[in-house]
Amino acid sequence: MTFNVDVDGSLVSGSGVIQVKQSDTRALFGSMGGAGSEVNGEAVIVDLGPHGTLFALLRGPSLGFDSVRGPASLLLHAFADVHKRETDPLPKVQLLKEQRPRRVLHVNEIPMLVYFRDLNDPKSVEQVEPINLAAVFGPGVVLRDAVIEVTDDPVTVGIEKKLPWLKKLNGQLDGDRLHHGATLSNDLNRYDFYQRYN
Protein backbone atom coordinates (compact mmCIF):
# COMPACT_ATOMS: atom_id res chain seq x y z
CA MET A 1 0.00 0.00 0.00
CA THR A 2 1.35 3.43 -0.96
CA PHE A 3 0.25 6.88 0.15
CA ASN A 4 1.22 9.82 -2.04
CA VAL A 5 1.05 13.25 -0.44
CA ASP A 6 1.69 16.68 -1.88
CA VAL A 7 3.79 18.61 0.64
CA ASP A 8 4.47 22.24 -0.21
CA GLY A 9 4.44 21.44 -3.92
CA SER A 10 6.59 18.28 -3.71
CA LEU A 11 5.50 14.65 -3.75
CA VAL A 12 6.19 12.63 -0.60
CA SER A 13 5.35 8.92 -0.52
CA GLY A 14 5.20 6.26 2.14
CA SER A 15 4.56 2.59 1.50
CA GLY A 16 4.39 -0.71 3.29
CA VAL A 17 3.89 -4.38 2.45
CA ILE A 18 1.25 -6.16 4.54
CA GLN A 19 0.84 -9.90 4.17
CA VAL A 20 -2.62 -11.45 4.28
CA LYS A 21 -2.87 -15.21 4.76
CA GLN A 22 -6.26 -16.51 3.71
CA SER A 23 -7.58 -19.89 4.79
CA ASP A 24 -10.70 -21.95 4.31
CA THR A 25 -11.71 -23.84 7.47
CA ARG A 26 -14.65 -25.76 6.00
CA ALA A 27 -12.56 -28.91 5.57
CA LEU A 28 -11.94 -28.91 9.33
CA PHE A 29 -15.24 -27.64 10.66
CA GLY A 30 -17.76 -28.49 7.92
CA SER A 31 -20.77 -26.18 7.82
CA MET A 32 -19.46 -24.42 10.96
CA GLY A 33 -16.32 -23.40 9.08
CA GLY A 34 -15.70 -20.50 6.74
CA ALA A 35 -13.02 -18.13 5.55
CA GLY A 36 -10.34 -17.01 7.94
CA SER A 37 -7.43 -14.64 7.53
CA GLU A 38 -4.26 -13.64 9.34
CA VAL A 39 -2.37 -10.38 8.92
CA ASN A 40 1.37 -9.91 9.10
CA GLY A 41 2.51 -6.31 8.86
CA GLU A 42 2.59 -2.79 10.18
CA ALA A 43 0.83 0.52 9.73
CA VAL A 44 2.14 2.45 6.73
CA ILE A 45 4.29 5.43 7.73
CA VAL A 46 4.45 8.64 5.69
CA ASP A 47 7.17 10.99 6.92
CA LEU A 48 6.04 14.53 6.08
CA GLY A 49 9.24 16.14 7.33
CA PRO A 50 8.72 19.17 9.56
CA HIS A 51 4.94 18.78 9.16
CA GLY A 52 4.92 15.51 11.13
CA THR A 53 4.28 11.80 10.52
CA LEU A 54 1.15 10.19 9.10
CA PHE A 55 0.20 6.60 9.96
CA ALA A 56 -2.26 4.47 7.97
CA LEU A 57 -3.51 1.82 10.39
CA LEU A 58 -4.32 -1.87 10.05
CA ARG A 59 -8.04 -1.18 10.46
CA GLY A 60 -10.90 0.30 8.52
CA PRO A 61 -11.52 4.00 7.99
CA SER A 62 -13.74 4.54 11.01
CA LEU A 63 -14.31 3.28 14.52
CA GLY A 64 -16.90 0.59 15.14
CA PHE A 65 -18.17 -1.84 12.55
CA ASP A 66 -17.80 -0.78 8.96
CA SER A 67 -17.78 -2.59 5.65
CA VAL A 68 -14.00 -2.48 5.24
CA ARG A 69 -12.47 -3.43 8.60
CA GLY A 70 -8.85 -4.33 7.96
CA PRO A 71 -6.23 -5.48 5.43
CA ALA A 72 -7.91 -8.80 4.59
CA SER A 73 -11.29 -7.21 4.05
CA LEU A 74 -9.77 -4.31 2.11
CA LEU A 75 -7.84 -6.66 -0.15
CA LEU A 76 -10.95 -8.50 -1.31
CA HIS A 77 -13.08 -5.35 -1.37
CA ALA A 78 -10.70 -3.23 -3.46
CA PHE A 79 -10.26 -5.93 -6.10
CA ALA A 80 -13.84 -7.19 -6.19
CA ASP A 81 -13.92 -6.77 -9.98
CA VAL A 82 -11.00 -9.20 -10.38
CA HIS A 83 -12.66 -12.10 -8.57
CA LYS A 84 -16.34 -11.25 -9.03
CA ARG A 85 -17.16 -14.70 -10.43
CA GLU A 86 -15.52 -16.54 -7.53
CA THR A 87 -17.34 -17.23 -4.29
CA ASP A 88 -14.71 -19.20 -2.38
CA PRO A 89 -11.94 -17.26 -0.63
CA LEU A 90 -8.94 -19.31 -1.75
CA PRO A 91 -9.63 -19.04 -5.50
CA LYS A 92 -10.16 -15.30 -5.00
CA VAL A 93 -6.74 -14.93 -3.46
CA GLN A 94 -5.18 -17.14 -6.15
CA LEU A 95 -6.56 -14.83 -8.84
CA LEU A 96 -5.03 -11.83 -7.08
CA LYS A 97 -1.65 -13.59 -6.86
CA GLU A 98 -1.77 -14.39 -10.57
CA GLN A 99 -2.95 -11.01 -11.84
CA ARG A 100 -1.22 -8.72 -9.31
CA PRO A 101 -3.73 -5.91 -9.76
CA ARG A 102 -3.29 -2.30 -8.68
CA ARG A 103 -6.03 0.16 -7.66
CA VAL A 104 -6.39 3.67 -6.33
CA LEU A 105 -8.55 3.47 -3.21
CA HIS A 106 -11.78 5.43 -2.90
CA VAL A 107 -11.78 7.81 0.04
CA ASN A 108 -14.17 5.58 2.01
CA GLU A 109 -11.78 2.61 1.59
CA ILE A 110 -8.68 4.36 2.95
CA PRO A 111 -7.63 2.86 6.28
CA MET A 112 -7.86 5.04 9.37
CA LEU A 113 -5.21 7.76 9.32
CA VAL A 114 -3.72 9.11 12.55
CA TYR A 115 -0.86 11.19 13.84
CA PHE A 116 0.67 11.84 17.25
CA ARG A 117 1.09 15.32 18.69
CA ASP A 118 4.07 13.74 20.46
CA LEU A 119 5.51 10.53 18.97
CA ASN A 120 6.67 9.50 22.43
CA ASP A 121 3.17 9.75 23.92
CA PRO A 122 0.63 7.18 22.67
CA LYS A 123 -2.17 9.13 24.37
CA SER A 124 -1.55 12.05 22.00
CA VAL A 125 -2.99 10.17 19.00
CA GLU A 126 -5.49 12.02 16.80
CA GLN A 127 -7.45 10.91 13.76
CA VAL A 128 -6.76 12.60 10.42
CA GLU A 129 -9.36 12.94 7.68
CA PRO A 130 -7.97 11.87 4.27
CA ILE A 131 -9.66 14.80 2.51
CA ASN A 132 -8.30 17.35 4.96
CA LEU A 133 -4.69 16.59 5.91
CA ALA A 134 -4.05 20.34 6.02
CA ALA A 135 -6.21 20.64 9.16
CA VAL A 136 -3.54 18.70 11.06
CA PHE A 137 -0.33 19.11 9.08
CA GLY A 138 -0.80 22.65 7.84
CA PRO A 139 -1.53 24.31 4.50
CA GLY A 140 0.17 22.78 1.52
CA VAL A 141 -0.27 19.17 2.71
CA VAL A 142 -2.78 17.25 0.57
CA LEU A 143 -3.31 13.52 0.05
CA ARG A 144 -2.91 12.89 -3.66
CA ASP A 145 -3.97 9.24 -3.58
CA ALA A 146 -3.72 5.92 -1.76
CA VAL A 147 -2.81 2.91 -3.87
CA ILE A 148 -3.17 -0.79 -3.11
CA GLU A 149 -1.43 -3.46 -5.18
CA VAL A 150 -0.59 -7.14 -4.90
CA THR A 151 3.11 -7.93 -4.58
CA ASP A 152 5.47 -10.62 -3.33
CA ASP A 153 7.88 -8.10 -1.81
CA PRO A 154 8.94 -8.78 1.79
CA VAL A 155 6.75 -7.56 4.65
CA THR A 156 7.70 -4.13 5.96
CA VAL A 157 9.28 -4.02 9.42
CA GLY A 158 10.68 -1.32 11.67
CA ILE A 159 7.72 0.67 13.01
CA GLU A 160 9.16 0.44 16.52
CA LYS A 161 11.92 2.85 15.40
CA LYS A 162 9.22 5.51 15.03
CA LEU A 163 7.09 4.32 17.95
CA PRO A 164 9.51 2.72 20.46
CA TRP A 165 6.76 2.23 23.04
CA LEU A 166 4.65 0.06 20.75
CA LYS A 167 5.99 -3.42 21.54
CA LYS A 168 5.85 -2.81 25.29
CA LEU A 169 2.24 -1.70 25.15
CA ASN A 170 -0.34 -3.94 26.81
CA GLY A 171 -3.94 -3.00 26.21
CA GLN A 172 -5.05 0.26 24.69
CA LEU A 173 -2.92 3.26 23.67
CA ASP A 174 -4.05 5.16 26.77
CA GLY A 175 -2.56 2.43 28.98
CA ASP A 176 -5.92 1.00 30.03
CA ARG A 177 -6.22 -2.78 29.75
CA LEU A 178 -9.95 -2.47 29.07
CA HIS A 179 -11.64 -1.00 26.03
CA HIS A 180 -14.37 1.50 26.88
CA GLY A 181 -14.09 3.76 23.81
CA ALA A 182 -14.25 7.09 25.61
CA THR A 183 -11.28 8.43 23.62
CA LEU A 184 -9.44 7.55 20.43
CA SER A 185 -6.41 6.49 22.48
CA ASN A 186 -8.65 3.99 24.27
CA ASP A 187 -10.23 2.76 21.04
CA LEU A 188 -6.84 1.97 19.48
CA ASN A 189 -4.33 -0.66 20.57
CA ARG A 190 -1.03 -1.98 19.30
CA TYR A 191 -2.72 -4.39 16.87
CA ASP A 192 -3.91 -1.38 14.88
CA PHE A 193 -0.23 -0.58 14.27
CA TYR A 194 1.54 -3.93 14.38
CA GLN A 195 0.39 -7.51 13.73
CA ARG A 196 2.46 -10.67 13.43
CA TYR A 197 1.61 -14.32 13.00
CA ASN A 198 4.01 -17.24 13.06
Side-chain angles (χ1 to χ4, degrees):
M1 191 174 300
T2 301
F3 289 80
N4 297 306
V5 182
D6 288 315
V7 181
D8 302 325
S10 298
L11 176 63
V12 173
S13 297
S15 62
V17 177
I18 301 161
Q19 183 180 44
V20 174
K21 181 180 179 182
Q22 190 76 31
S23 59
D24 186 342
T25 61
R26 288 174 298 184
L28 290 174
F29 301 108
S31 61
M32 297 290 290
S37 60
E38 294 176 295
V39 172
N40 183 16
E42 303 176 348
V44 177
I45 301 171
V46 188
D47 188 341
L48 302 175
H51 292 276
T53 305
L54 178 68
F55 296 86
L57 302 186
L58 300 173
R59 70 177 299 153
S62 59
L63 296 171
F65 296 100
D66 53 16
S67 59
V68 183
R69 295 191 190 122
S73 175
L74 176 59
L75 180 69
L76 296 178
H77 181 83
F79 300 118
D81 60 312
V82 175
H83 54 70
K84 60 186 174 185
R85 292 190 179 135
E86 286 293 345
T87 56
D88 289 338
L90 297 185
K92 285 182 180 182
V93 172
Q94 187 59 40
L95 278 171
L96 297 183
K97 286 174 68 176
E98 292 168 0
Q99 298 189 24
R100 299 196 180 190
R102 179 182 187 275
R103 297 285 185 276
V104 174
L105 295 176
H106 299 290
V107 69
N108 64 341
E109 297 172 324
I110 294 174
M112 181 180 286
L113 305 179
V114 301
Y115 89 111
F116 294 89
R117 295 187 306 278
D118 177 354
L119 284 173
N120 295 311
D121 180 7
K123 294 179 185 177
S124 71
V125 68
E126 292 191 14
Q127 190 170 356
V128 182
E129 293 300 326
I131 59 173
N132 193 11
L133 267 58
V136 169
F137 298 109
V141 180
V142 178
L143 180 64
R144 182 181 292 185
D145 57 29
V147 178
I148 185 172
E149 58 187 314
V150 177
T151 179
D152 59 2
D153 290 348
V155 173
T156 304
V157 296
I159 194 171
E160 68 277 2
K161 293 175 185 174
K162 243 346 167 180
L163 304 174
W165 44 262
L166 191 57
K167 286 192 176 180
K168 298 175 185 176
L169 188 71
N170 288 319
Q172 309 308 107
L173 262 59
D174 65 357
D176 198 327
R177 290 186 179 273
L178 300 176
H179 173 259
H180 50 71
T183 62
L184 181 62
S185 63
N186 182 264
D187 263 310
L188 301 179
N189 59 51
R190 77 174 191 167
Y191 299 108
D192 294 311
F193 293 84
Y194 172 92
Q195 293 183 33
R196 290 283 184 264
Y197 66 80
N198 292 312

